[in-house]
Amino acid sequence: MSTVFDCTDEETRSAGIQAAVGAAKAGRLIVTPTDTVYGIGCNAFDAEAVTDLLAAKHRGRDMPVPVLVGSWHSIDGLVLSVSAAARSLVEAFWPGSVSLVVEQAPSLAWDLGDTSGTVMLRMPLHPVAIEVLRAVGPMAVSSANVSGRPPAITCDEALEQLGDSVSVYLDGGRAPKGQPSTIVDITGASPRVLREGAVTTAEVAEVLDVDPASLVD
């Protein structure tokens, strides 16, 4: 049985965040608002919960789950090495709507799917998500929708698609951006924009001081 908490109301917001944190720590799934779209998430280090997340989305291991963090500094413990490009993008866009594909630290004891040694990281710009992340730690979070269907930009849309597979829903109103994050791959010799979303390729290029055309195939 799922529980929905109205996080636009101060009284129920605190209870909702407490319930979501408890659920995530207990290996269950939660839905939280972010600045881009709603996300379905769990403790990133709980492999069984990640499997449940993929099942809820009707998604295979060939589409590994991204990780959201609650602090700039979290990247240092999750990445093999932080390049100058990564540092520049983190400083410019976090918290915010840019996701970074990086080489993960080999010591990490998590299973996010078939990652081939990489992980996609983001720090969202949303107070509810940040509060949950800072209490739980890094969370495996994907868009709160069934694969192949549009990402949820309201809690009701997430609930309609995911139903009782999720333990706690945090309703923060309509997601501010209403579109997915921009994905930048920095694992290769030069950065590449894999998906343009809420941040434009031109904005990424300006931070990296490169020609926007060099960031796309």
Side-chain angles (χ1 to χ4, degrees), residues 135-200:
V136 176
M139 293 185 65
V141 180
S142 184
S143 56
N145 62 293
V146 172
S147 287
R149 296 184 60 183
I153 59 175
T154 68
C155 186
D156 285 345
E157 291 176 0
L159 180 61
E160 186 273 325
Q161 295 192 54
L162 300 171
D164 287 340
S165 63
V166 171
S167 177
V168 174
Y169 287 84
L170 301 180
D171 187 348
R174 187 181 180 88
K177 298 285 187 182
Q179 59 180 316
S181 64
T182 295
I183 301 174
V184 184
D185 184 349
I186 50 178
T187 62
S190 57
R192 291 187 304 129
V193 173
L194 302 183
R195 179 183 72 194
E196 183 175 275
V199 173
T200 67

Side-chain angles (χ1 to χ4, degrees), residues 87-120:
R87 190 71 66 189
S88 295
L89 292 170
V90 164
E91 291 176 356
F93 296 115
W94 283 17
S97 305
V98 169
S99 297
L100 302 178
V101 178
V102 295
E103 292 184 65
Q104 69 179 41
S107 59
L108 289 174
W110 62 21
D111 182 3
L112 303 170
D114 298 332
T115 62
S116 300
T118 66
V119 63
M120 188 162 76

Side-chain angles (χ1 to χ4, degrees), residues 16 58 63 81 134 144 211:
H58 301 175
M63 299 178 69
S81 63
R134 287 182 174 168
D211 184 340

Side-chain angles (χ1 to χ4, degrees), residues 85 87-93 201-210:
R87 190 71 66 189
S88 295
L89 292 170
V90 164
E91 291 176 356
F93 296 115
T201 299
E203 290 173 305
V204 173
E206 183 177 0
V207 168
L208 295 176
D209 194 24
V210 297

Side-chain angles (χ1 to χ4, degrees), residues 122-146:
R122 185 167 82 90
M123 180 183 178
L125 181 57
H126 197 288
V128 171
I130 289 294
E131 194 165 342
V132 172
L133 288 163
R134 287 182 174 168
V136 176
M139 293 185 65
V141 180
S142 184
S143 56
N145 62 293
V146 172

Side-chain angles (χ1 to χ4, degrees), residues 51-69:
T51 298
D52 291 342
L53 189 158
L54 290 170
K57 285 180 61 73
H58 301 175
R59 182 165 158 175
R61 287 179 53 83
D62 58 320
M63 299 178 69
V65 186
V67 170
L68 295 189
V69 296

